[in-house]
Amino acid sequence: MPAPNIETIAQLAKRRGFVFPSAEIYGGLASSWDYGPLGVEICNNVKRAWWRWMVYERDDIEGIDTAIIMNRLVWKYSGHEDTFSDPLVDCRACKSRLRADKLENHSGLPIEQAIAAGAVKCPNCGSTDLTEPRPFNLMFRTQVGPVAAEDDPSALAYLRPETAQGIFVNFLNVQRTARRKLPFGIAQIGKSFRNEVTPGNFIFRTREFEQMEMEYFVRPGEDERWHDYWIEQCFNWYTGLGLDPKNLRLYEQPPEELAHYSKRTVDIQYRFFPEREQEEKQWDELMGIANRTDFDLRAHSKGPVDAEGKRLNPDSTEDLSYFDEATRERFYPYVIEPAAGVNRSVLAFLMDAYTEKESERGEKRIVLRLHPELAPIKVAVLPLAKNKPEIVRMAKEIKRMLQPAMRTVYDDTAGIGKLYARQDEIGTPYCVTVDHQSLEDEAVTVRDRDTWQQVRVKVAELTEHLKKRLNLKC
Ligand SMILES: [Zn+2]
C-alpha cells in the first residue's frame, strides 16, 4: 500500500526532518524546499546508488562535474535561448498566470484559436477573458561580473536548465583523456534551474532541482537499439531499489510533446497521484529517456555548413565529430539520454515505501519500507532502560562500534515502544536493543522493521550480522 497522496508524504517529511519549506520563518518561497537531517541522507543515498549503478558497475561510462554558470553561447547553440519556453497566458479578470498547454480545452480547436473563440476558461475564476499565449523562457537569467546585463549584454548568463550541455561541450575532452571508443557514456549529477510557471506538488516540480543525467554516445543507426536497452535498464534500476512495478509504466511521448532535439522520448512514469479518479491522470514523469540524435554535438561544432556554405556555428572553435579508427569514418555520434530528477525520485521512493500497519495494541503505525540502500539510517541502537548507566554505556559503545560500517544512531529519549515506532516511521531497517540480560550474556536483540521479528545476536558478531542482512553495496 503506497502513500494515498503526496500530501501525506509532505506532512511526514516535515514532521520527521526530511524536507522543510525553505526559509519558513520568512513565509517561505514558492516551490523552494530545504532538506533536513534525514532528507540529505536519502538524497545522497539515491545519488550514490545511481552513480554506482551508472559509473562503477559498468565498463563504458565516465563521470564529470561541470559548471552551473557557463558561457551564454552554450545556450544559444543548444537551442535553449530560442525554444526553451512555455506558452504563457494571463487571465485579465483575476490576473493569474497560466500555462496555455495545461488549460482544459474541449473545443477541438488548437489552443490559440480556442482562447480567441472564448472556449477556454480560467481555472481560478472561470473567466474566458484570456490573453493570447506568448512564449516565456524558463531559464533563470543572471549576470557575470559587476556590470548589469541590461547595460552590457556580454554580462548576461543563465543558471543551467539541464546538466546535459556541460557534457556535450566536454565530449572531446572526455573522449580523448579517457581514450574512449564508441559506444560510451558520460554521467553527471548536479543542480539545474527552471523558472517554471506552475511549480508545485511538494518536491515533485520545483524551480531548483538536482538532476542525474547520462549521455550515451553511439554510432548513428545503432541509436534505436541502445534507446530500447536504456529504457529497460532504467526501469529495472527503479524496481531494483524497491519501486513496485504496478506503480510504474512506460509512456511514449507523442510527436507534439517531443523536445526540439528529440527523435523519440520514452518516460518512465510513476503513479504520483493515486487519489485522482481518472486512472490516466494518476501518472506523471519520473525519468525521461530521450534519443537526442546528433543534434547537440552538431550544434556545438564549428564544422557544419548550411546550403550556401555558411558555417552554422561561427562561434565554436572545435568540431565535435568522432573519427572511427577501424572504419576510417568521421561522423557525429547519436546520443541516448536517461535523465532523472533526484528530488522526484526521492518522492517516488518515499511514496512507494509508505505503509500503515496496526500494532499489537491496535494503534496505527507508519512504516517506511525503504530499500536498505536508500534508508537514511541503517541501524538504531536503543537502551531498554535509560536510568541504568551500564546499559546506556554499553548501548553507546555498540553505536560507536557500528558507525564506521553503517549509518547508526543512538536514541534513549522515550520508552522502547515509542522508539521502535519512530524508527519504523523513518524507514530504519534494524533496531538493536540493549537490555539487562545484555550485561551478562554480551548479546543484544535485533529487530526487523518489516516483520517486527526479533533475534538475539552476540555483540562480537553484530557488525557482520547486520552487514549481511543489510547487504549494502556502498
Ligand atoms: Zn482568472
Side-chain angles (χ1 to χ4, degrees):
M1 180 189 67
N5 49 46
I6 290 179
E7 185 51 33
T8 304
I9 296 299
Q11 285 174 12
L12 174 68
K14 186 179 176 192
R15 180 159 48 82
R16 296 309 315 274
F18 282 91
V19 184
F20 308 117
S22 174
E24 198 177 12
I25 61 165
Y26 289 109
L29 176 67
S31 112
S32 278
W33 302 90
D34 296 334
Y35 288 78
L38 300 177
V40 67
E41 297 295 338
I42 191 170
C43 286
N44 284 341
N45 293 344
V46 167
K47 289 185 275 183
R48 251 199 305 270
W50 188 88
W51 194 262
R52 193 191 64 238
W53 166 70
M54 197 55 108
V55 182
Y56 297 170
E57 292 179 356
R58 297 185 61 95
D59 306 318
D60 53 355
I61 309 227
E62 304 284 347
I64 199 171
D65 185 21
T66 68
I68 288 175
I69 297 174
M70 295 191 281
N71 190 313
R72 181 190 163 193
L73 292 171
V74 171
W75 307 110
K76 176 179 173 182
Y77 289 104
S78 71
H80 284 79
E81 276 196 338
D82 285 339
T83 61
F84 195 63
S85 54
D86 279 341
L88 199 67
V89 161
D90 286 321
C91 169
R92 290 198 184 91
C94 74
K95 307 294 173 206
S96 51
R97 303 219 122 160
L98 311 159
R99 259 178 73 174
D101 56 327
K102 298 281 179 189
L103 294 171
E104 299 257 354
N105 175 13
H106 304 294
S107 67
L109 298 167
I111 188 71
E112 299 81 6
Q113 292 174 32
I115 290 171
V120 177
K121 278 185 190 158
C122 166
N124 298 325
C125 73
S127 166
T128 56
D129 191 6
L130 307 177
T131 63
E132 224 173 85
R134 62 186 185 288
F136 169 73
N137 197 290
L138 299 183
M139 286 195 290
F140 275 98
R141 296 155 67 97
T142 186
Q143 69 184 49
V144 175
V147 183
E150 292 79 48
D151 302 324
D152 176 9
S154 72
L156 175 62
Y158 302 102
L159 303 187
R160 67 178 175 200
E162 62 175 22
T163 59
Q165 296 302 326
I167 294 177
F168 295 131
V169 298
N170 280 288
F171 168 68
L172 283 185
N173 285 337
V174 175
Q175 190 259 323
R176 285 173 184 156
T177 54
R179 297 177 303 281
R180 283 291 184 177
K181 288 190 168 60
L182 296 187
F184 76 95
I186 305 174
Q188 170 154 238
I189 297 177
K191 288 224 168 168
S192 291
F193 304 82
R194 296 178 187 178
N195 198 2
E196 300 277 357
V197 180
T198 49
N201 287 315
F202 187 42
I203 56 174
F204 177 79
R205 181 175 284 110
T206 52
R207 295 191 171 104
E208 172 181 342
F209 61 106
E210 204 159 16
Q211 286 190 301
M212 307 182 282
E213 291 195 301
M214 193 277 291
E215 309 301 324
Y216 198 72
F217 301 93
V218 303
R219 293 182 66 92
E222 293 178 3
D223 51 308
E224 292 178 12
R225 182 169 64 83
W226 281 112
H227 195 189
D228 289 334
Y229 166 85
W230 279 110
I231 292 164
E232 192 191 347
Q233 289 287 310
C234 294
F235 195 93
N236 293 344
W237 184 70
Y238 280 112
T239 56
L241 285 172
L243 289 196
D244 186 342
K246 283 205 295 291
N247 296 323
L248 290 170
R249 72 170 191 182
L250 296 178
Y251 172 78
E252 186 87 34
Q253 286 192 7
E256 65 271 20
E257 274 181 34
L258 291 178
H260 61 277
Y261 49 73
S262 174
K263 172 174 164 184
R264 179 187 175 217
T265 298
V266 173
D267 291 340
I268 297 175
Q269 294 187 329
Y270 180 75
R271 203 191 293 270
F272 280 107
F273 305 97
E275 77 280 12
R276 290 179 181 169
E277 226 161 278
Q278 261 181 289
E279 213 262 344
E280 190 50 38
K281 296 200 165 173
Q282 296 177 356
W283 303 89
D284 214 324
E285 181 188 346
L286 176 59
M287 183 187 224
I289 303 117
N291 181 345
R292 294 182 77 127
T293 70
D294 56 359
F295 178 89
D296 301 276
L297 290 183
R298 221 177 245 284
H300 288 305
S301 286
K302 72 169 181 179
V305 290
D306 63 12
E308 281 103 52
K310 206 174 110 204
R311 274 230 304 256
L312 295 175
N313 185 336
D315 294 311
S316 171
T317 60
E318 274 279 14
D319 177 39
L320 301 179
S321 62
Y322 173 84
F323 183 70
D324 190 321
E325 309 266 357
T327 61
R328 315 300 294 169
E329 287 173 282
R330 181 170 285 286
F331 56 87
Y332 293 99
Y334 267 44
V335 179
I336 306 302
E337 174 195 76
V342 173
N343 321 76
R344 203 177 276 194
S345 296
V346 164
L347 179 58
F349 285 125
L350 289 173
M351 285 186 80
D352 225 61
Y354 183 94
T355 29
E356 288 174 6
K357 196 168 165 179
E358 204 165 284
S359 73
E360 299 88 47
R361 288 204 220 137
E363 295 154 332
K364 186 189 91 171
R365 292 278 194 82
I366 294 168
V367 181
L368 274 190
R369 298 189 169 202
L370 287 168
H371 191 285
E373 207 81 57
L374 304 182
I377 310 291
K378 313 302 182 194
V379 181
V381 183
L382 316 169
L384 196 64
K386 70 166 174 179
N387 49 13
K388 193 102 194 243
E390 300 96 309
I391 291 180
V392 167
R393 196 182 314 120
M394 186 173 177
K396 286 183 174 171
E397 276 169 14
I398 290 171
K399 190 250 179 187
R400 282 185 211 110
M401 176 186 82
L402 294 174
Q403 65 192 9
M406 60 202 80
R407 177 83 173 114
T408 310
V409 295
Y410 168 89
D411 191 5
D412 66 6
T413 57
I416 193 69
K418 194 150 187 200
L419 293 178
Y420 282 150
R422 273 184 199 164
Q423 296 300 327
D424 286 345
E425 201 178 45
I426 62 167
T428 306
Y430 296 105
C431 289
V432 168
T433 312
V434 181
D435 53 27
H436 295 90
Q437 187 69 28
S438 305
L439 300 174
E440 282 150 41
D441 65 1
E442 284 285 310
V444 290
T445 301
V446 176
R447 174 188 176 273
D448 183 292
R449 173 196 70 198
D450 299 333
T451 62
W452 292 353
Q453 278 175 354
Q454 308 193 355
V455 291
R456 201 77 183 161
V457 180
K458 288 277 178 200
V459 174
E461 291 154 21
L462 184 62
T463 309
E464 282 313 308
H465 173 92
L466 290 167
K467 268 188 177 171
K468 209 166 161 191
R469 292 180 76 180
L470 285 162
N471 193 24
L472 299 178
K473 292 187 182 167
C474 58

